[in-house]
Amino acid sequence: MRVMVVMVGVVQATAFYGVNLKHKNKEHRNAYATVYMGTPRDYEFYVATRVLIRSLIRLQVDADLIVIASLDVPLRWLRALEEEDGAKVLRVENVNNPYKGQQRFKLTLNKLYAWRLVDYDGVVMLDADNLFLHKTDELFQCGQFCAVFINPCIFHTGLFVLQPSLDVFKDMIHQLETGKANPDGADQGFTGAYFPDLLDQPKYAAEMPIVMTPSVIFLGIITMTRLARPSISKLCYRNTDKSSSLMQTGLKFIAIWSIIVAYIVPFAIIPRTIHPLVGWTLYFLGSVALSSVAINSFLLPVVPILVPLIGVLGSLLVMACPWYPYGVTRALAVFGYAFCYALIAWGSMVKVTARLQVSLEKRTNFPKIG
């Protein structure tokens, strides 16, 4: 009995205070890791974890595959992960969650164990519901900590990159014990509070010159098209007795595609690494600028043309709302918004095409070609 007590004490101490990978046959400098927690939905996590690992194996990633598993996860499933999938399983105690009222994500603080994987240069931490379609080993080029933003104010811990550090891990545990502020009582709120500089602008100062260039161009387009609008009809329009059906169809096609391009081009040219608030602001500015070309060239109504932009803004606000209790509620809210917006979008499209048809049928509004 005494030996058993000593062994249990050693296991618990090792699980919480350190993870030694030397006996796990470390093969690579970096690792992809996921957390497998003992919950009433164990089998769902088991299947999802195996699918995640198999997707990484299929891509032949240059990294070890780590599963950080709670002590209460069934051993037969952990053996399958090791023997059949080639993952390295590390069994740990659940990190104590001091935030009362959090039940659904109570055990997600086990992700903090990723900072204990100090045998690796970098670790990509993943939720089990990720599925990899392409090799992404470039993620390991990240610095101390990188994460994907779920909205402009909160980053998502379903996928983040870190440099393991015992000092950081110990400090995190200390912050938990001292009751560090946590907006959601889970890993996402804790890491967001622990790495607040990730949400600050100074981190992105080096990319501001890249942002300023398209901003100046977009503002220039808006100014030029607006100033040139009074003279467009005099320079580009002429009277004609009859317009051909083919010409009208071609001009409609050009007008519609110019509107579509106005919403695609800014999205394609804006750097993905800039802060979300800056990126989306630049996207809206670019869309307005390019849309102004179609508005002033074809004398189209402003509000219907900008309805897609309003729709994008609304969808961002609906998805970013922090008061959804469950993911299903968020999905239903997005679906409801999409249904309502579709009616508005259809109405604006009808109005734009009708206005375009009227403009083309007027002799004074028929564009001069050549």
Side-chain angles (χ1 to χ4, degrees), residues 114 171 176 311 358:
D171 187 58
L176 284 174
V358 170

Side-chain angles (χ1 to χ4, degrees), residues 122-270:
V123 174
V124 175
M125 194 67 204
L126 304 163
D127 279 352
D129 57 1
N130 282 285
L131 181 66
F132 283 75
L133 303 178
H134 302 282
K135 196 171 182 179
T136 58
D137 289 350
E138 64 271 15
L139 290 173
F140 295 112
Q141 298 175 16
C142 171
Q144 180 185 8
F145 183 80
C146 300
V148 178
F149 281 85
I150 191 172
N151 65 45
C153 301
I154 301 174
F155 54 74
H156 193 267
T157 52
L159 189 158
F160 61 91
V161 189
L162 62 101
Q163 288 181 347
S165 168
L166 293 178
D167 292 336
V168 171
F169 177 78
K170 292 176 182 177
D171 187 58
M172 285 179 161
I173 297 301
H174 174 71
Q175 296 287 346
L176 284 174
E177 294 172 346
T178 56
K180 184 177 182 63
N182 186 341
D184 64 7
D187 62 297
Q188 194 157 279
F190 178 80
T191 51
Y194 192 85
F195 294 101
D197 60 300
L198 193 64
L199 305 174
D200 297 335
Q201 292 296 335
K203 185 180 180 70
Y204 303 90
E207 295 181 338
M208 291 311 294
I210 302 176
V211 173
M212 292 303 297
T213 301
S215 298
V216 172
I217 294 174
F218 292 150
L219 290 173
I221 292 174
I222 294 174
T223 303
M224 290 176 62
T225 54
R226 187 70 187 105
L227 293 176
R229 179 178 176 123
S231 58
I232 287 180
S233 59
K234 297 179 180 178
L235 296 176
C236 303
Y237 288 79
R238 66 179 180 182
N239 292 332
T240 184
D241 296 331
K242 188 176 180 181
S243 60
S244 68
S245 175
L246 181 62
M247 183 66 72
Q248 290 188 13
T249 302
L251 289 172
K252 286 182 181 178
F253 181 83
I254 294 172
I256 292 173
W257 269 104
S258 66
I259 297 171
I260 295 174
V261 167
Y263 290 99
I264 295 177
V265 170
F267 188 81
I269 65 176
I270 295 172

Side-chain angles (χ1 to χ4, degrees), residues 280 283-284 307-320 337:
W280 281 111
Y283 171 78
F284 292 146
V307 161
L309 200 64
I310 298 171
V312 171
L313 177 60
S315 65
L316 290 175
L317 295 176
V318 171
M319 290 189 291
Y337 172 80

